[in-house]
Amino acid sequence: MRFLFLFRKEWREIFRQKEMVALLFIAPLIQTIILGYVVRTDVTNLPVGIINLSQSIESQRLINRLASSPLFKIKFIASKPVDAEEIFRQGKSKALIIFREREKRASEEFSFSLPEVQVLLDGSDANSAMIAAGYFYGLFGHYITTLLHREDKDVPFQPKTIIRFNPSLNSLHTMGPAIVALLLTIITILLTGIGLVREKEQQTLDTLLVSKLTPIEIFLGKTLPMAAVGLIEMTLGIMVVITIFDVTPRGNLAYLYLAAVAFLFSILSIGFLISLISQSQQQALFFCWFTMLLFLMLSGLLTPLENIPPALRWLTVINPLRYLIAIIREIFLKGNGLAYFWQDILIMAGLGLVAFLFSLRVFRRFVIK
Amino acid sequence: MTAPILEIRNLSKAFGPIQALNNVSLIIPRASLTIIAGPDGSGKSTLLKCLLGLVRADAGQIYLKGQLTDKNFEQIRSISAYMSERFSLYPDLTVEENLDFYACIQMVPKDRKDDLKHRLLERTGLESFRFRLAANLSGGLKQKLALATALLSSPEILFLDEPTPGIDPTSRLEFFRLLEELKKEGRTIILTTPYLDEAEKGDEIVFFHRGKIIKQGSLSDLKNQFPLLVFSFEPETNIFEAYTELSKLVGPENLILRGRQLKIFVPEGEELIWRGKLLRLKREEPRLEDIYFYFERRSEMMELGHDQ
């Protein structure tokens, strides 16, 4: 238990710096709140331009539907043709909906006459364009179905979609908890990454090395305080998700802490390794940012893992953040228990063990030159 | 006969193309102050780190009290303390917290810790600064605190790596007074320094240059055994011209330019005729820096001759 001396020293050093305390505990909370609202995959307030060449009642009704939806923000309504490409170039709107009068009535069977509808989308933001296309399709489809039902007509084919776990498809519910995992990564890898290299710069590392502490004790003494800080941060983050984002976890949060411990084992070992091979804090920060960005890109937080090309997908297997994000979503949204993700926890622990053994090897081989 | 506390035989270490230590052999007697003097990058710190196992030597042996250590540095570490160039202190901890931490990692028994801590605070004059952050201490006080942390384990050998840069003269004197006391208590001190005036305080002075020992001995031995007479000469002509011409005459290893003066090393009985005149030279007692520069130049000349 000799590592506790080092643990206590680290803890004192962290809390003695007021700026550090603010940076560690207040900044992440603000970041969680901001990121939770900003990093969303659903589209709201999409700027839409309408060119209503039809001037029919139905076109006006459809415009009213669009205007009342929080998904779209109607920027202008024109009654004459406009240069669509120029509007997109100027960024005035991301979608243009053109209503034209039908030359011929579609069928005598119906009492209503729908205008021709053309949707033009700005593909420079492919993600938003794809999601918006789905929204438009859904809105028009729903409108037609309503009209047909009113006339006692059956829709020949209509798939019924039931969405489980997040019926409103609110991205805050998927992104919010996952951002807690991201913050846990950022804080712990940065703190550990600069921890040992600061000792090198202060030239206190040599004194630690000639002391009676073993490399394992130095590892534990340097990383466990960061793990404790990480777990406190995670708790604060979860509180933000529950109280501010209004996302109630369906599963047992104790499992999340279990997963976090396995995750921290791997991430702290990687941070320690970064600290061992870096010669200055500046270098360590660069390594940490590079590692974090790689972890983030390959985590499934921003893009689905299935979107990653197969040649690179194997990298996600050795990314511990991928597993934590999956587990956090399973606990918060699906209410899953250990039976569903014990393998993920084991993989994280395994990755941690490999990184830990490797960093110990590096410690023994490279710290003593 | 008692074996010396440390004996180094043919120690070598290279970092890539740089030969940091080149076949270094040295005997450190018990209860002595050995000062290793030399310019930055001459290999002084590497030598200390090799002795503590912080750097692995490529070749050579280290004997502790007559026993070969053979890559197991636990024995040396268990009876030594090391003070690195920048004092090895935690700036965000107070004086007392630094002492507490070092006492803990050096496994000082709990019942002895407080007593030892108080005695060291008193001895180093840090008692009134015990609650001050190490970052807010002056250079001299930081140095004393670092020494106090090193003394917590009551070491037999103290390795002090350049403990005085940036320290005011009064604090330096006070520091060496403390070292003298420690030596009298029977501790062996090995100190490195780039300052030759400090080296004079050592019982044994070891001159280091490019990873090699170029000369060693006590101050009196070094002075008495200096093979040449030292003269100072103030030329009336341009000093640089005089230096160039005289260096051809006596050899560059025997000439030092210092301010408006030239120091010339001449064998006893030899007269010096320059520009057709017998030079009127003022004889001086050799100073440590004269001795260092003479042997440094000689070593460089020999290396040059060897290379060619």
Side-chain angles (χ1 to χ4, degrees):
Chain A
M1 300 298 270
R2 291 185 298 194
F3 71 88
L4 286 175
F5 305 132
L6 197 52
F7 182 102
R8 199 167 54 197
K9 190 270 293 177
E10 291 290 320
W11 200 250
R12 266 188 185 145
E13 281 188 309
I14 292 171
F15 285 93
R16 194 136 290 164
Q17 301 167 44
K18 284 178 191 142
E19 303 82 2
M20 191 71 163
V21 175
L23 198 73
L24 284 179
F25 297 104
I26 299 168
L29 284 183
I30 297 169
Q31 274 177 308
T32 312
I33 297 166
I34 294 173
L35 283 173
Y37 284 111
V38 171
V39 187
R40 298 182 71 167
T41 50
D42 42 10
V43 174
T44 50
N45 292 319
L46 186 85
V48 176
I50 289 172
I51 297 123
N52 189 3
L53 305 175
S54 154
Q55 301 297 339
S56 65
I57 295 169
E58 299 302 344
S59 67
Q60 195 52 53
R61 279 182 180 156
L62 280 166
I63 291 168
N64 290 346
R65 287 254 175 138
L66 285 165
S68 60
S69 165
L71 307 175
F72 313 110
K73 192 176 179 90
I74 293 177
K75 301 297 275 186
F76 64 87
I77 300 175
S79 51
K80 288 178 184 169
V82 291
D83 184 348
E85 198 172 311
E86 189 54 28
I87 283 173
F88 287 152
R89 278 185 194 282
Q90 289 176 4
K92 283 183 182 168
S93 71
K94 295 219 167 172
L96 277 176
I97 300 170
I98 305 165
F99 295 101
R100 283 196 193 87
E101 199 59 57
R102 250 177 225 282
E103 283 178 12
K104 256 171 59 181
R105 205 181 175 92
S107 164
E108 293 300 329
E109 273 187 74
F110 306 113
S111 63
F112 54 86
S113 169
L114 284 171
E116 263 184 15
V117 184
Q118 185 180 18
V119 178
L120 300 176
L121 290 162
D122 177 358
S124 62
D125 181 357
N127 195 42
S128 298
M130 266 175 63
I131 294 166
Y135 287 164
F136 287 127
Y137 179 79
L139 188 137
F140 295 135
H142 186 256
Y143 185 77
I144 294 165
T145 314
T146 314
L147 288 179
L148 288 172
H149 282 311
R150 202 185 295 160
E151 299 208 350
D152 282 337
K153 297 275 188 318
D154 282 334
V155 183
F157 171 73
Q158 191 182 20
K160 275 200 171 179
T161 310
I162 298 166
I163 299 164
R164 298 268 187 207
F165 307 125
N166 184 14
S168 58
L169 288 181
N170 186 348
S171 69
L172 199 57
H173 287 230
T174 42
M175 296 308 279
I179 282 166
V180 175
L182 180 63
L183 284 173
L184 185 66
T185 315
I186 294 174
I187 292 293
T188 50
I189 202 168
L190 277 177
L191 281 178
T192 326
I194 60 170
L196 204 66
V197 83
R198 203 178 58 203
E199 300 263 4
K200 276 188 207 170
E201 284 184 348
Q202 285 175 177
Q203 298 208 350
T204 42
L205 182 63
D206 284 346
T207 323
L208 287 183
L209 292 174
V210 296
S211 76
K212 293 183 171 64
L213 295 176
T214 61
I216 292 178
E217 285 170 330
I218 294 175
F219 173 85
L220 291 174
K222 294 295 292 182
T223 55
L224 285 183
M226 311 316 162
V229 169
L231 290 174
I232 295 171
E233 297 241 340
M234 193 178 90
T235 309
L236 293 173
I238 289 171
M239 283 160 69
V240 166
V241 170
I242 294 172
T243 55
I244 299 179
F245 298 164
D246 201 21
V247 184
T248 314
R250 293 200 175 104
N252 189 343
L253 282 179
Y255 296 138
L256 181 55
Y257 282 89
L258 180 69
V261 169
F263 172 75
L264 284 170
F265 181 40
S266 57
I267 210 78
L268 294 175
S269 300
I270 292 165
F272 193 72
L273 189 62
I274 288 173
S275 209
L276 282 172
I277 58 171
S278 305
Q279 295 306 315
S280 64
Q281 291 193 58
Q282 201 181 15
Q283 215 178 69
L285 282 175
F286 172 77
F287 278 133
C288 288
W289 277 113
F290 176 75
T291 313
M292 279 184 317
L293 271 180
L294 209 62
F295 280 178
L296 175 64
M297 296 299 172
L298 299 168
S299 66
L301 177 75
L302 301 176
T303 48
L305 293 174
E306 295 74 21
N307 283 12
I308 297 169
L312 292 174
R313 210 175 294 156
W314 64 270
L315 280 171
T316 67
V317 178
I318 54 167
N319 177 10
L321 185 59
R322 165 205 161 148
Y323 302 102
L324 188 68
I325 286 177
I327 291 171
I328 215 166
R329 281 177 173 162
E330 287 196 35
I331 291 173
F332 263 85
L333 300 175
K334 294 184 184 172
N336 280 355
L338 209 52
Y340 292 87
F341 49 71
W342 63 270
Q343 283 167 316
D344 287 354
I345 293 180
L346 275 188
I347 293 172
M348 282 194 291
L351 288 171
L353 187 67
V354 171
F356 169 69
L357 293 175
F358 188 61
S359 58
L360 270 190
R361 188 178 157 83
V362 170
F363 196 113
R364 291 199 173 108
R365 284 193 64 182
F366 295 101
V367 173
I368 298 169
K369 289 172 186 145
Chain B
M1 202 180 120
T2 333
I5 195 152
L6 269 176
E7 188 180 348
I8 303 152
R9 286 188 201 163
N10 310 316
L11 209 65
S12 291
K13 172 71 188 175
F15 294 107
I18 298 161
Q19 192 69 40
L21 292 178
N22 191 354
N23 218 19
V24 172
S25 295
L26 185 63
I27 290 173
I28 311 283
R30 287 166 198 252
S32 66
L33 171 59
T34 301
I35 298 192
I36 300 166
D40 291 338
S42 57
K44 309 181 298 288
S45 301
T46 308
L47 176 66
L48 294 199
K49 288 183 178 178
C50 279
L51 294 176
L52 286 160
L54 290 170
V55 167
R56 284 203 183 100
D58 299 331
Q61 299 88 39
I62 299 161
Y63 291 85
L64 176 71
K65 297 177 182 174
Q67 299 285 314
L68 182 66
T69 55
D70 199 26
K71 292 181 186 171
N72 178 11
F73 293 94
E74 286 313 307
Q75 280 177 299
I76 292 189
R77 287 179 187 178
S78 66
I79 59 160
S80 2
Y82 170 63
M83 183 171 149
S84 75
E85 279 173 77
R86 283 172 58 194
F87 306 144
S88 287
L89 297 172
Y90 292 99
D92 294 319
L93 299 186
T94 64
V95 167
E96 189 163 14
E97 285 167 350
N98 265 290
L99 283 168
D100 281 335
F101 174 67
Y102 280 107
C104 288
I105 62 166
Q106 286 164 7
M107 306 303 147
V108 176
K110 268 187 184 172
D111 52 332
R112 278 191 59 217
K113 194 182 87 178
D114 284 340
D115 178 49
L116 195 61
K117 194 173 73 184
H118 289 301
R119 276 199 285 132
L120 284 169
L121 282 170
E122 214 169 287
R123 186 174 195 177
T124 50
L126 286 166
E127 187 70 54
S128 51
F129 301 98
R130 59 195 298 176
F131 302 117
R132 190 178 284 190
L133 289 181
N136 299 336
L137 294 176
S138 68
L141 291 175
K142 276 183 190 165
Q143 180 202 46
K144 283 181 181 169
L145 175 57
L147 183 65
T149 60
L151 291 172
L152 279 162
S153 59
S154 308
E156 282 183 53
I157 312 172
L158 262 173
F159 292 96
L160 309 176
D161 195 4
E162 296 195 17
T164 52
I167 307 301
D168 64 89
T170 320
S171 300
R172 274 196 206 187
L173 280 175
E174 177 72 5
F175 185 71
F176 277 97
R177 188 191 57 74
L178 274 169
L179 295 188
E180 199 58 38
E181 280 179 24
L182 294 169
K183 196 180 79 182
K184 282 180 187 155
E185 288 170 8
R187 298 183 212 276
T188 306
I189 303 158
I190 304 166
L191 181 147
T192 68
T193 181
Y195 306 124
L196 292 167
D197 58 330
E198 274 181 11
E200 290 189 358
K201 297 179 174 71
D203 301 319
E204 185 76 3
I205 302 160
V206 181
F207 287 151
F208 242 65
H209 180 61
R210 293 185 184 164
K212 280 194 293 197
I213 295 176
I214 50 171
K215 190 69 187 167
Q216 72 179 92
S218 66
L219 182 63
S220 57
D221 284 352
L222 288 173
K223 283 186 175 179
N224 295 336
Q225 291 166 11
F226 191 60
L228 303 166
L229 300 178
V230 179
F231 295 97
S232 68
F233 168 59
E234 198 166 323
E236 286 162 8
T237 55
N238 182 303
I239 187 112
F240 299 108
E241 274 178 29
Y243 178 86
T244 315
E245 288 175 25
L246 278 167
S247 94
K248 283 175 192 162
L249 199 66
V250 296
E253 74 276 25
N254 294 321
L255 196 65
I256 296 173
L257 178 66
R258 187 175 299 130
R260 283 284 311 149
Q261 276 194 336
L262 289 169
K263 283 218 168 185
I264 308 173
F265 307 132
V266 187
E268 197 161 5
E270 194 172 290
E271 288 181 333
L272 208 57
I273 295 167
W274 180 50
R275 290 185 176 176
K277 281 184 193 171
L278 181 72
L279 282 184
R280 292 167 65 101
L281 301 167
K282 194 176 143 199
R283 188 172 168 183
E284 281 185 3
E285 171 89 356
R287 287 161 54 177
L288 206 56
E289 58 183 37
D290 300 330
I291 301 168
Y292 179 84
F293 284 122
Y294 170 76
F295 286 106
E296 184 198 53
R297 292 268 181 91
R298 216 175 68 151
S299 163
E300 278 175 6
M301 302 284 287
M302 280 166 72
E303 271 176 30
L304 216 59
H306 183 74
D307 288 348
Q308 282 164 358

